[in-house]
Amino acid sequence: MEHGTAEQAPRALTRTPAHAGSALLQPTVPRQPVRPQRHSVRGQVLAALREALVGGELAPGEVYSAPALAERYGVSATPVREAMQQLAGEGAVEVVPNRGFRVCERSSRELAELAEVRAMLEVPAIVRLARALPPERWEELRPLADAGVSAAAHGDRVGYAEADRAFHHALISLTGNRRLTQVTDDLLRGTQWPAGGSRLRTAELLADASEHTALLDALIAQEYAVAERIAREHLSAARHPH
């Protein structure tokens, strides 16, 4: 968005049937309150596009043009194009010259590799934290774990993805290492893009969410070996597409 230009906040979207070329999205009632005005239009568009990716409203393999998406969001093409360029840098979409952006399809191998790197970074961090922090610090993460369980129980895939990121972000933030937190955030986001349109069922989402609760229970009880096992199993489960 150019400085000094006022634009409306993007609306929540729902996917219409896919058509050849660029797919269009229809506006619907926002699933959340409008975000605070302090956030840039580009940031709001980026957040909305990420939700659409996680929710499957932007389908793997489909091409979307910035002008078409901008019209549906009620903004100019500039913030949409900028947001899509950032998503391209994250590996979620790829540029298609003279057409727009194609949503990338994650292979099972790519997801497995992302999960392996996450485990290499997060498990040792959790093991170190387990022996360094008192139980009450872990209890502070309980509301985040509960939010994930609630979203999963309702089959809210987008809501669960948000809760999952919030939980892992808060957990790794306890290390005080901002670079580690950023890297693990990016890796987790990469596992949440759709893989060939695959979706976990509600029961599978709930099982994934319950592992956050089980991990906290083990950490609070200072059962270090159990906590490490749960963390490894949880991150291994990320090999399966969300």
Side-chain angles (χ1 to χ4, degrees):
M1 170 182 174
E2 294 79 11
H3 294 295
T5 302
E7 303 212 45
Q8 296 179 348
R11 297 184 291 273
L13 306 175
T14 183
R15 186 176 52 181
T16 58
H19 299 285
S22 299
L24 301 182
L25 301 178
Q26 294 276 1
T28 186
V29 178
R31 64 187 301 279
Q32 294 182 359
V34 175
R35 295 176 177 85
Q37 289 299 313
R38 67 176 180 272
H39 294 302
S40 68
V41 171
R42 175 184 172 280
Q44 293 179 63
V45 170
L46 178 60
L49 288 171
R50 282 174 168 161
E51 289 184 5
L53 281 165
V54 172
E57 294 160 12
L58 295 179
E62 290 288 340
V63 176
Y64 299 86
S65 73
L69 288 174
E71 181 180 355
R72 296 296 173 174
Y73 276 87
V75 298
S76 73
T78 299
V80 174
R81 195 171 286 113
E82 291 175 346
M84 281 297 214
Q85 289 288 354
Q86 180 165 337
L87 290 172
E90 296 174 2
V93 301
E94 60 184 3
V95 178
V96 181
N98 302 318
R99 292 184 63 197
F101 302 85
R102 178 183 291 111
V103 178
C104 296
E105 299 186 57
R106 295 285 194 203
S107 69
S108 58
R109 177 172 181 174
E110 288 176 305
L111 289 169
E113 290 175 348
L114 285 169
E116 183 177 7
V117 176
R118 283 188 66 200
M120 292 171 69
L121 294 174
E122 291 192 45
V123 173
I126 292 170
V127 170
R128 290 195 301 271
L129 287 170
R131 297 181 181 277
L133 297 180
E136 55 268 23
R137 292 299 304 277
W138 297 115
E139 193 61 55
E140 293 172 5
L141 301 186
R142 184 73 67 180
L144 298 176
D146 290 345
V149 171
S150 177
H154 288 88
D156 181 356
R157 192 166 172 273
V158 171
Y160 177 66
E162 294 170 351
D164 190 33
R165 288 197 301 270
F167 178 84
H168 284 274
H169 177 89
L171 193 159
I172 300 302
S173 291
L174 292 173
T175 65
N177 188 322
R178 290 177 294 179
R179 182 60 61 87
L180 175 63
T181 303
Q182 181 61 58
V183 169
T184 54
D185 280 352
D186 291 343
L187 289 168
L188 173 55
R189 195 180 297 281
T191 68
Q192 293 177 331
W193 305 141
S198 298
R199 296 288 183 274
L200 285 184
R201 296 185 294 272
T202 296
E204 293 170 315
L205 282 178
L206 194 54
D208 198 65
S210 68
E211 290 176 347
H212 293 164
T213 299
L215 176 61
L216 288 183
D217 289 343
L219 290 167
I220 290 168
Q222 298 181 318
E223 296 176 344
Y224 305 128
V226 174
E228 180 176 359
R229 175 181 57 78
I230 293 172
R232 289 191 184 281
E233 290 177 353
H234 178 67
L235 293 170
S236 176
R239 295 171 185 269
H240 304 294
H242 287 191

